[in-house]
């Protein structure tokens, strides 16, 4: 089946059906890359509840919130799963910090992208290398940079197919699912952090602001992707 055929089949279907079809179609070529965001916790719950043996991977940039590490441990325990953690290359982090300082990302967009490349993109590439397809928690509603997200799309940056089971979900659906199934989530979401990344690059936002406005708050909305989703 081609990516386009699968996209036509799955666009608009419910998230559990999309994950099920992804598993049936791609089997051991499929991986779930979770950031432990609320959306990702929904997908984790779907996979774990159905006992589909889809591997879980995540990134530790070295700059995450303490709450994110607690949630990682809690999620593994709650579902009896293992989430494989990928770290940045030590030599590259040390060289970058030696040259540009520990908080280089505040100085320019280029520096910020360099840090995201070293701490996120390169480890993600390694995490995804054994697979052909990855599941991802992107939603169209999240920001201007995600308005075109589809349930099934080509990830040209990583040379993979990307499947977004929650592409059409509204924020209320995410929180409705989490409440109904008692899914563990990051408590920072209750403190004004709709999108949670590295602690040094994320701030709380008002309800009226774009979901992603708390990420790299010093940059314009169109710049607010790190390249993980091919939209840097
Ligand atoms: Fe670096 Fe900030 Fe990107 Fe994290 S979000 S990798 S600290 S620039």
């Amino acid at each position: 089946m081609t990516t386009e055929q699968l996209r036509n089949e799955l666009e608009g279907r419910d998230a559990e059906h999309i994950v099920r079809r992804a598993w049936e179609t791609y089997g051991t070529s499929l991986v779930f890359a979770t950031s432990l965001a609320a959306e990702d916790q929904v997908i984790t719950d779907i996979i774990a509840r159905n006992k589909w043996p889809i591997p879980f991977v995540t990134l530790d940039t070295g700059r995450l919130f303490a709450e994110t590490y607690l949630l990682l441990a809690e999620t593994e325990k709650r579902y009896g799963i293992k989430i494989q953690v990928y770290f940045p290359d030590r030599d590259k982090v040390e060289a970058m910090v030696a040259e540009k300082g520990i908080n280089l990302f505040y100085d320019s967009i280029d520096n910020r992208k360099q840090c995201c490349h070293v701490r996120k993109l390169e480890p993600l590439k390694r995490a995804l290398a054994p697979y052909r397809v990855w599941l991802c928690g992107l939603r169209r509603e999240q920001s201007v940079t995600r308005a075109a997200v589809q349930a099934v799309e080509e990830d040209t940056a990583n040379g993979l197919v990307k499947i977004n089971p929650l592409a059409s979900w509204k924020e209320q659906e995410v929180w409705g699912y989490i409440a109904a199934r008692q899914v563990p989530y990051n408590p920072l979401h209750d403190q004004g952090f709709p999108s949670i990344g590295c602690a040094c690059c994320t701030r709380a936002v008002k309800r009226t602001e774009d979901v992603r406005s708390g990420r790299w708050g010093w940059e314009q909305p169109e710049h607010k992707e790190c390249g993980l989703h091919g939209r840097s």
Side-chain angles (χ1 to χ4, degrees), residues 61 63 105 112 115-116 119-120 198 200-201 215-216 226:
T61 64
R63 303 292 297 248
F105 33 79
R112 197 273 290 166
C115 185
C116 283
R119 292 184 186 272
K120 292 181 175 180
C198 294
C200 46
C201 294
R215 304 290 293 277
W216 310 295
C226 57

Side-chain angles (χ1 to χ4, degrees), residues 95-138:
M96 175 179 72
V97 171
E99 184 193 348
K100 297 192 169 176
I102 196 75
N103 285 338
L104 70 156
F105 33 79
Y106 294 136
D107 296 336
S108 69
I109 291 175
D110 282 347
N111 277 5
R112 197 273 290 166
K113 287 188 173 176
Q114 180 183 353
C115 185
C116 283
H117 185 88
V118 169
R119 292 184 186 272
K120 292 181 175 180
L121 268 62
E122 190 277 331
L124 181 71
K125 262 203 182 326
R126 271 189 287 119
L128 298 181
Y131 304 99
R132 286 196 300 123
V133 185
W134 60 308
L135 290 167
C136 201
L138 298 187

Side-chain angles (χ1 to χ4, degrees), residues 19-39:
V19 180
R20 178 190 304 278
R21 286 291 292 129
W23 168 243
E24 288 170 355
T25 307
Y26 298 110
T28 55
S29 298
L30 179 69
V31 64
F32 175 36
T34 173
S35 71
L36 302 154
E39 290 81 0

